[in-house]
Amino acid sequence: MKTKKIIPHLGFWQIWNMNVGFFGIQYSFGLQQTAVNPIYTFLGAHAEQLPILNLAGPITGLMIQPLIGAISDKTWSPKWGRRKPFFLLGAIFCSIALFLFPFSSAIWMAVGLLWVLDAANNTAMEPYRAFIADKLPQEQQTFGFQMQSLFVGAGITLANLSLFIFQKYLGGNASGGGIPVWVYYSFFLGSFCSIASVVWSVYKTPEIPPSEQELEELIKFKEGSTFFTPFIEIFSAIRDMPKLLWQLALVYLFQWYALFCYWQFITPMLKLSLYGISESDEQKADKIIKLAKSGVFVVEKDMSWAKNVLHLVEVAVGQTGLMNGSYNIITMVSALLLVPFAKKFTSKNTYIFCLCITGLGIMALPYIKNEYLLLVPMVALGIGWASMMGLPYSMVSPSIPPEKRGVYMGVINMMIVVPMLIQTISFGFIYKTFLNDNPSLVIVLTGFLFLIAGACVMLMKPEEKKYE
C-alpha cells in the first residue's frame, strides 16, 4: 500500500530562500516585457511586426515547459535533487543570452537570442512551480505561491526601473538606427541576477528525497521508458485533466491574450498619447538621422526635429520602464497581503476582484496625459499581477495528483502560451484592420479582455473554504 508522504511546515525564511531564484528568472522576464520590443523598433521593426517577432515566447513555452515538467517528475539525483537541475541549467543559458542580447546588430539576431532566452526561462520557470507544491503542505501553498509573486514583482521591478534609471542618468541621447548604450547596462545586470539568485536557492534549499517505494517506481519507469515516454505523459495528463484546469484554461485565454497586448503596445501608446509621436513620425525621423550619418545634406530644422522625436521615443521607453517597475513594486507589496484576503474571502473571489480592477485601470491609460498620473492605474495592475502569479496555482494545486505535479504545471503553462501564440499570429491583422493602427485602442481592448477573464473565473469551482 502506498503511504502518504509527510511534508513538514517551513518557516518564513525557508520559504523565502527557496523562492529567491525566481527573482533572477523574473528580471529576465521583465526585460522581455519592457525592453525587447523597443529594441526591435530601434533595429527597424514596424509596430504591426511586433506580435510575430515575439513568437518565441509562446512556442518555447508550449514545447518546453510541459516536457521539462514530465521529465522532472521522473528525475531524482541524490546530489542535485529533482527540480533544481532544471532551473539551474535554465539560469545559465538565460544569463548568457541576456549578456549577448544588447549586442544585436540586426532584427534576426535579436529574434534568435530571444528564442534562446525564452527557452532558458521556460526550462527554469516550470520546475519552480512544481518545486513549491513539492516542498510545502497544502495549507502553506497559497503563501508559497504568493511568495513567488513577491519575487516576480521584485525581479521585474528591478528590470524596469533599471531601464528608467540608466536611460535618465547614463543615456537619453537619440542614437538613430541602433540600440542605445544605456540599454546594455540593464541586460548586463540581468545576466548577473539570473545566475546568482538561482545558485542561492539551489544552495540553500534541499529537496525532499523520494521514499524507497517511490525510488523503486522511478527505477521501473526508467527501465521501461523510451524517447517518446515524456510526450506520452503529457498527452495522458491532458486527456485526464481535472475539470477545474479546463475552467482555468478559459480564464487564461483572455487574461494572457490581454497581457501580451499590453506588453507589446504600451510603449507605442505612450509615444502617441504623451508625446504625439506616430509610427510614421518615428520612421521619418530615423530615416533623416541615417541620411545625415551617411553624408547626405539635411536641413538643420529637419535634423533638429528628428533628434527631438528620437529622444522622445527613448523617453517613452524609460516611461514604460517606470510604469512597469511601479506596478511590480505594488506586486511586491501586495503579494503577501493577498494571502489573508484569500483565506477570508477565498482565492476565487479575490482573483475575480483583482482581474476586474486591473481591467478598469488599463482601460483608463490612453486618456491620462500626465506621466505621473499614469502611475495611478499601475496600482491596480500591480495588485492584479500579484494575484495572477499566485492565486490560480493555489486554486488548482489540490486537484493535481502529487506524482504528476511537474507535468501538470507544464500543462498550465500551455494554457498561458496558447493564448500568446494566438495573439502573435492574429493581432497584427487585427491591429491594422480593426484598430486602425492605433495603439491606444489596443490598450482599451486589453482592459476589456481582463474584465471578461474575471467573469470567466466565476465559472470555476475550486475546493477551498473561507477562514474567519
Side-chain angles (χ1 to χ4, degrees):
M1 180 181 293
K2 191 171 183 178
T3 58
K4 186 176 181 180
K5 182 185 292 186
I6 303 298
I7 302 177
H9 281 67
L10 298 183
F12 178 89
W13 292 112
Q14 290 173 303
I15 298 175
W16 174 280
N17 284 330
M18 69 188 286
N19 281 296
V20 165
F22 223 63
F23 171 81
I25 296 170
Q26 293 303 315
Y27 185 107
S28 171
F29 191 50
L31 287 179
Q32 287 179 247
Q33 285 182 13
T34 305
V36 167
N37 288 303
I39 284 176
Y40 284 152
T41 60
F42 286 138
L43 295 174
H46 298 164
E48 69 270 15
Q49 296 175 305
L50 295 180
I52 200 68
L53 291 176
N54 283 272
L55 194 60
I59 292 295
T60 56
L62 189 64
M63 295 172 59
I64 289 176
Q65 285 218 25
L67 186 60
I68 293 296
I71 294 172
S72 68
D73 279 339
K74 305 301 181 183
T75 297
W76 175 253
S77 165
K79 182 177 181 181
W80 297 104
R82 169 170 285 155
R83 315 292 183 184
K84 292 193 294 185
F86 296 96
F87 48 78
L88 180 59
L89 182 66
I92 292 171
F93 279 95
C94 180
S95 181
I96 295 170
L98 285 171
F99 183 83
L100 295 176
F101 205 98
F103 293 101
S104 299
S105 56
I107 293 176
W108 66 265
M109 183 177 176
V111 170
L113 283 170
L114 181 61
W115 279 84
V116 175
L117 182 60
D118 260 316
N121 268 343
N122 280 295
T123 300
M125 193 183 309
E126 196 287 331
Y128 237 121
R129 297 295 191 188
F131 190 46
I132 297 300
D134 289 343
K135 288 282 293 180
L136 296 175
Q138 184 175 330
E139 56 269 28
Q140 282 195 304
Q141 287 184 13
T142 297
F143 184 79
F145 285 119
Q146 287 305 119
M147 182 70 82
Q148 279 196 348
S149 290
L150 185 151
F151 280 107
V152 168
I156 301 178
T157 294
L158 182 60
N160 285 287
L161 291 183
S162 72
L163 288 167
F164 176 76
I165 292 169
F166 290 146
Q167 186 270 333
K168 189 174 183 64
Y169 295 106
L170 299 177
N173 295 322
S175 54
I179 300 172
V181 174
W182 53 268
V183 173
Y184 286 60
Y185 301 120
S186 290
F187 279 84
F188 293 163
L189 181 59
S191 180
F192 170 77
C193 290
S194 177
I195 189 63
S197 63
V198 169
V199 167
W200 177 271
S201 287
V202 168
Y203 175 72
K204 285 287 187 178
T205 310
E207 294 197 60
I208 300 175
S211 65
E212 291 185 9
Q213 184 179 354
E214 288 173 328
L215 279 174
E216 290 177 5
E217 292 174 357
L218 287 175
I219 292 171
K220 288 180 182 179
F221 177 84
K222 288 182 179 180
E223 289 175 350
S225 64
T226 66
F227 173 81
F228 298 101
T229 300
F231 298 96
I232 296 171
E233 287 276 309
I234 295 168
F235 288 115
S236 175
I238 295 173
R239 182 194 62 203
D240 302 328
M241 191 163 69
K243 182 179 179 181
L244 186 64
L245 268 68
W246 287 109
Q247 294 168 338
L248 181 64
L250 180 62
V251 176
Y252 275 10
L253 174 63
F254 294 100
Q255 175 184 298
W256 287 97
Y257 195 105
L259 280 165
F260 234 36
C261 288
Y262 172 83
W263 291 327
Q264 290 170 4
F265 287 93
I266 184 61
T267 301
M269 186 216 80
L270 291 172
K271 294 175 190 175
L272 186 63
S273 65
L274 280 185
Y275 308 115
I277 298 172
S278 66
E279 184 181 8
S280 60
D281 289 333
E282 185 177 351
Q283 292 170 354
K284 181 180 177 181
D286 189 60
K287 185 177 180 180
I288 289 172
I289 295 292
K290 287 179 178 178
L291 286 173
K293 285 187 173 182
S294 67
V296 176
F297 174 75
V298 175
V299 178
E300 181 61 32
K301 181 179 178 181
D302 290 341
M303 188 67 177
S304 177
W305 173 84
K307 286 183 177 180
N308 183 59
V309 167
L310 292 183
H311 170 68
L312 291 176
V313 166
E314 291 193 19
V315 172
V317 176
Q319 176 68 20
T320 302
L322 177 62
M323 290 169 62
N324 288 353
S326 298
Y327 85 69
N328 280 286
I329 289 175
I330 300 300
T331 296
M332 279 195 301
V333 173
S334 62
L336 298 185
L337 294 179
L338 288 178
V339 175
F341 283 95
K343 286 183 176 180
K344 184 172 184 179
F345 300 107
T346 75
S347 295
K348 173 182 174 178
N349 291 332
T350 305
Y351 189 26
I352 292 170
F353 173 78
C354 293
L355 288 176
C356 289
I357 63 169
T358 298
L360 294 174
I362 288 178
M363 290 176 78
L365 289 174
Y367 306 101
I368 300 174
K369 305 302 181 182
N370 181 281
E371 60 186 5
Y372 297 107
L373 289 179
L374 280 166
L375 302 181
V376 176
M378 295 298 101
V379 175
L381 180 53
I383 295 171
W385 185 233
S387 73
M388 295 174 222
M389 290 292 97
L391 296 182
Y393 296 96
S394 61
M395 287 166 63
V396 302
S397 182
S399 301
I400 296 175
E403 67 275 10
K404 293 187 177 182
R405 283 193 183 116
V407 67
Y408 270 117
M409 289 300 173
V411 170
I412 290 173
N413 191 70
M414 292 175 68
M415 301 174 192
I416 295 173
V417 299
V418 167
M420 289 184 171
L421 178 60
I422 295 172
Q423 195 270 353
T424 57
I425 294 173
S426 67
F427 205 75
F429 173 77
I430 293 172
Y431 181 65
K432 289 187 69 68
T433 306
F434 299 107
L435 301 178
N436 197 30
D437 288 337
N438 188 332
S440 294
L441 294 179
V442 176
I443 300 303
V444 173
L445 174 63
T446 296
F448 183 67
L449 292 174
F450 271 113
L451 296 179
I452 297 176
C456 291
V457 178
M458 296 179 185
L459 302 176
M460 298 180 67
K461 295 181 174 15
E463 299 176 8
E464 58 180 348
K465 61 181 180 179
K466 293 186 287 186
Y467 300 87
E468 298 299 337

